[in-house]
């Protein structure tokens, strides 16, 4: 972040600079949810297709539980079966269980 190696600033400031200076067709991101949310927002503002790769806690890994469920515009999806890569525009909530006050992790 301090610029001692590469760009000074965070991922979003670097992304803004790249988007300003280049013609970008697609962004692919992984990492912390808040960072991916910010990347997806910037991509949408710049009208650039964006895919996010979710790394959720997986209890079964074979679509048998709801441990990795996310809410999308196409309904609930399971990261282990339907992902882990999703079009950022369809993601509504990557932590639906948290927002329901559910203790099922
Ligand atoms: S980890 Fe159980 S459904 Fe995805």
């Amino acid at each position: 972040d301090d610029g001692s190696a590469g760009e000074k600033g965070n991922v979003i400031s670097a992304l803004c600079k790249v988007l300003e200076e280049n013609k970008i067709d697609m962004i692919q991101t992984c990492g912390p949810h808040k960072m991916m949310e910010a990347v997806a927002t910037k991509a949408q503002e710049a009208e650039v297709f964006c895919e996010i790769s979710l790394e959720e806690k997986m209890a079964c890994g074979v679509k048998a539980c709801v441990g990795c469920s996310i809410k999308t515009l196409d309904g609930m999806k399971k990261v282990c079966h339907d992902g882990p890569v999703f079009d950022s525009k369809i993601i509504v909530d990557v932590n639906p269980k948290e927002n329901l006050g559910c203790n099922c992790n």
Side-chain angles (χ1 to χ4, degrees), residues 9-72:
N10 61 28
V11 169
I12 303 308
S13 60
L15 175 61
C16 288
K17 186 176 177 186
V18 169
L19 287 169
E20 285 172 13
E21 297 174 354
N22 300 280
K23 164 112 177 63
I24 304 296
D25 295 323
M26 178 183 203
I27 296 171
Q28 295 173 307
T29 183
C30 62
H33 289 163
K34 286 294 180 191
M35 185 205 72
M36 290 194 293
E37 185 179 324
V39 168
T41 298
K42 290 294 173 194
Q44 198 158 358
E45 289 171 3
E47 298 180 357
V48 175
F49 179 68
C50 179
E51 286 183 332
I52 66 172
S53 182
L54 296 171
E55 297 176 19
E56 299 304 310
K57 291 179 186 167
M58 295 187 191
C60 70
V62 292
K63 198 183 166 187
C65 69
V66 293
C68 66
S69 296
I70 63 168
K71 188 175 181 181
T72 75

